[in-house]
Amino acid sequence: ISCRSVKTPSRIIWGVEDVVMCAGKESTFKFIEDVIAELVEIFPSEYIHIGGDECPKSEWEQCPLCQKVIKEQGLTDSINGASPEMRLQGYFVSRVEKIVEKYGRRIIGWDEILEGGVPESATVMSWRGVEGGIEAALGGHDAIMTPVSGGMYLDFFQGDKKCEPVSIGGYVPLEKVYSYNPVPDTLKSLGLEEHIIGVQGNTWSEYMYDESIREYR
């Protein structure tokens, strides 16, 4: 279901992949619905996290099927800095949102989903800073604050890296984690603080090689 229509090996290392799902194939959305249909049977939660972050648009820029959807959906113009391909992601997210809604659930997505237009019912996870949470709240969306800058990445070093377990990098002492205030003053002044519904501490496991490191983090 990629744009290239060629089989590629499953990715077994972390990182950002240029080969992404094709936004111009109906088989893509059939696959997504099949996955969601399984998920809702297993997990009773109200929300389904659909990701939406770190999606390179280079494949979509070259794909005839994706470009056809851009033209058919009237996404050819750049709006507020959003390129046609970014707006295509908005179309993609909206279609996934409709699938999730059909099963009586709501979507959560990383703050990149704001870039191309986001469905009204979406909840946004603000990870690249607090700006995504502010933008989401200003647009009437709920947001979960999980910014790198706020100390919400618990896979960073918590002390001197000479003594600490292996880590991806960075430095986040517990003092920074516990002192983080998730509600920006901007939203307080506007009376929109109710849209900040929580925080998330991320423990990405790429460098957590055993259970003791996972428990520590």
Side-chain angles (χ1 to χ4, degrees), residues 130-216:
V130 301
E131 295 79 13
I134 293 172
E135 182 182 344
L138 291 174
H141 301 280
D142 287 342
I144 297 167
M145 303 303 279
T146 179
V148 179
S149 58
M152 294 294 100
Y153 274 58
L154 308 181
D155 53 342
F156 286 10
F157 289 114
Q158 294 178 18
D160 189 334
K161 64 182 179 181
K162 297 186 183 71
C163 307
E164 285 273 305
V166 64
S167 171
I168 192 172
Y171 174 58
V172 177
L174 285 177
E175 181 182 11
K176 183 172 185 177
V177 177
Y178 282 106
S179 64
Y180 175 61
N181 181 358
V183 183
D185 291 340
T186 303
L187 297 182
K188 282 185 179 179
S189 66
L190 295 172
L192 296 173
E193 61 266 30
E194 73 275 6
H195 284 296
I196 305 302
I197 62 173
V199 298
Q200 174 172 283
N202 299 297
T203 50
W204 305 112
S205 62
E206 291 93 344
Y207 289 93
M208 298 181 190
Y209 295 132
D210 57 46
E211 198 62 34
S212 66
I213 297 177
R214 281 189 280 273
E215 288 292 337
Y216 176 61

Side-chain angles (χ1 to χ4, degrees), residues 29 32 36 50 92-100 107:
F29 300 100
I32 291 172
I36 290 171
I50 65 167
F92 194 112
V93 170
S94 293
R95 288 201 57 175
V96 175
E97 189 267 345
K98 287 182 174 63
I99 294 171
V100 172
I107 66 167

Side-chain angles (χ1 to χ4, degrees), residues 28-157:
T28 296
F29 300 100
K30 174 63 167 62
F31 170 78
I32 291 172
E33 179 158 7
D34 288 346
V35 171
I36 290 171
E38 289 190 31
L39 286 175
V40 298
E41 290 294 324
I42 300 170
F43 301 104
S45 60
E46 177 184 356
Y47 296 98
I48 298 290
H49 200 306
I50 65 167
D53 63 318
E54 298 181 331
C55 177
K57 309 297 191 295
S58 54
E59 294 283 297
W60 291 356
E61 290 171 358
Q62 304 298 322
C63 175
L65 292 177
C66 289
Q67 292 301 313
K68 180 181 178 183
V69 171
I70 286 174
K71 291 178 181 177
E72 290 177 347
Q73 296 296 319
L75 309 175
T76 53
D77 296 327
S78 295
I79 297 179
N80 296 325
S83 68
E85 287 71 31
M86 291 167 70
R87 295 181 66 196
L88 180 63
Q89 179 164 331
Y91 159 84
F92 194 112
V93 170
S94 293
R95 288 201 57 175
V96 175
E97 189 267 345
K98 287 182 174 63
I99 294 171
V100 172
E101 188 179 50
K102 186 169 74 172
Y103 290 91
R105 309 298 175 86
R106 299 173 60 190
I107 66 167
I108 293 176
W110 297 110
D111 57 54
E112 284 95 328
I113 69 172
L114 291 164
E115 295 172 355
V118 59
E120 185 176 341
S121 67
T123 296
V124 174
M125 275 193 168
S126 187
W127 75 275
R128 293 180 295 177
V130 301
E131 295 79 13
I134 293 172
E135 182 182 344
L138 291 174
H141 301 280
D142 287 342
I144 297 167
M145 303 303 279
T146 179
V148 179
S149 58
M152 294 294 100
Y153 274 58
L154 308 181
D155 53 342
F156 286 10
F157 289 114

